[in-house]
Amino acid sequence: MIFDATVLQMLKTGIWESLYMTFASSFFSYLIGIPLGIILVVTDKDGIYPIPWFQRILGLVVNLLRSVPFIILLIMVLPITKAIVGTTLGATAVIPPLVIASAPYVARVVEASFKEVDPGVIEAAKSMGSSTFQIIWKVLLPEAKPSLLVGATLCITTILAYSAMSGFVGGGGLGDIAIKYGYYRYQTEMMFITVAILVIIVQVIQEAGMKLSRVSDKRIK
């Protein structure tokens, strides 16, 4: 394999497409996943506003969506993808299936973060007459912030891994390059290079997320 300007440009495009897919999908996944996670916690039998039957149904739907392997879901939702973005090829076409796959995962991560909040703090807020919304906004979210940031790091790196799988259906990004050149053309050097770049991106996201979590954690100040 010859490293020339064409190859470098292809890698630059692949990095940009992978980052675009990952962060756009993460944004929309959190837009859906945070409210879902809050509803799961609040309506739990021990929650602030318990509706156990509703929580069980919602939890079942979330689990069902999480159970579908991403590569299969990617193919299953092709008609939805086509309806939303007008095509099933390219980086933008991967965002809808990434959001559908990741939002339930985000919801469970958010739920787990909120459940780490000291129940005593919530009880204190209740005793002061705080409404459900005030408890969510002024107690749960601030108290769970460090854990939410750690969870976000985990979710974003998982979405990056999902985005690499989209190369099998022409989704673009580094995964697409690895599959086209490493798998179909037996150019293993290119595959190792794309994998190395993905590892570096994961490390950067991981370090940034952990640093933000430490900065926001009032217990270690």
Side-chain angles (χ1 to χ4, degrees), residues 79-146:
I80 298 173
T81 303
K82 176 87 173 176
I84 295 174
V85 299
T87 179
T88 57
L89 297 174
T92 301
V94 178
I95 293 174
L98 276 175
V99 173
I100 294 170
S102 306
Y105 184 72
V106 169
R108 284 300 188 195
V109 170
V110 170
E111 180 192 16
S113 296
F114 284 156
K115 284 190 172 178
E116 288 178 11
V117 176
D118 183 358
V121 181
I122 299 171
E123 286 303 319
K126 278 184 184 175
S127 67
M128 288 188 286
S130 300
S131 66
T132 301
F133 177 78
Q134 286 173 326
I135 293 172
I136 293 169
W137 188 251
K138 295 184 177 177
V139 178
L140 281 177
L141 281 170
E143 290 291 325
K145 194 194 295 180

Side-chain angles (χ1 to χ4, degrees), residues 30-135:
Y30 264 83
L31 215 55
I32 299 168
I34 286 180
L36 271 179
I38 289 173
I39 293 170
L40 283 168
V41 170
V42 170
T43 58
D44 189 56
K45 62 182 175 57
D46 300 319
I48 308 166
Y49 194 84
I51 314 176
W53 65 269
F54 177 78
Q55 201 268 357
R56 280 197 294 274
I57 293 172
L58 184 62
L60 181 65
V61 173
V62 167
N63 287 343
L64 282 173
L65 286 171
R66 287 180 59 213
S67 304
V68 182
F70 178 66
I71 195 71
I72 295 172
L73 187 139
L74 190 63
I75 298 165
M76 282 173 62
V77 301
L78 282 177
I80 298 173
T81 303
K82 176 87 173 176
I84 295 174
V85 299
T87 179
T88 57
L89 297 174
T92 301
V94 178
I95 293 174
L98 276 175
V99 173
I100 294 170
S102 306
Y105 184 72
V106 169
R108 284 300 188 195
V109 170
V110 170
E111 180 192 16
S113 296
F114 284 156
K115 284 190 172 178
E116 288 178 11
V117 176
D118 183 358
V121 181
I122 299 171
E123 286 303 319
K126 278 184 184 175
S127 67
M128 288 188 286
S130 300
S131 66
T132 301
F133 177 78
Q134 286 173 326
I135 293 172

Side-chain angles (χ1 to χ4, degrees), residues 172-186:
L174 292 168
D176 191 40
I177 295 171
I179 290 164
K180 274 182 184 169
Y181 290 86
Y183 184 67
Y184 292 118
R185 301 184 188 179
Y186 302 105

Side-chain angles (χ1 to χ4, degrees), residues 184-216:
Y184 292 118
R185 301 184 188 179
Y186 302 105
Q187 293 183 6
T188 50
E189 303 95 329
M190 183 61 82
M191 187 170 65
F192 285 130
I193 289 166
T194 52
V195 170
I197 295 171
L198 283 169
V199 169
I200 291 168
I201 294 173
V202 167
Q203 288 301 314
V204 170
I205 294 171
Q206 181 76 31
E207 286 300 317
M210 296 309 291
K211 188 170 183 179
L212 279 173
S213 175
R214 285 194 294 272
V215 168
S216 66

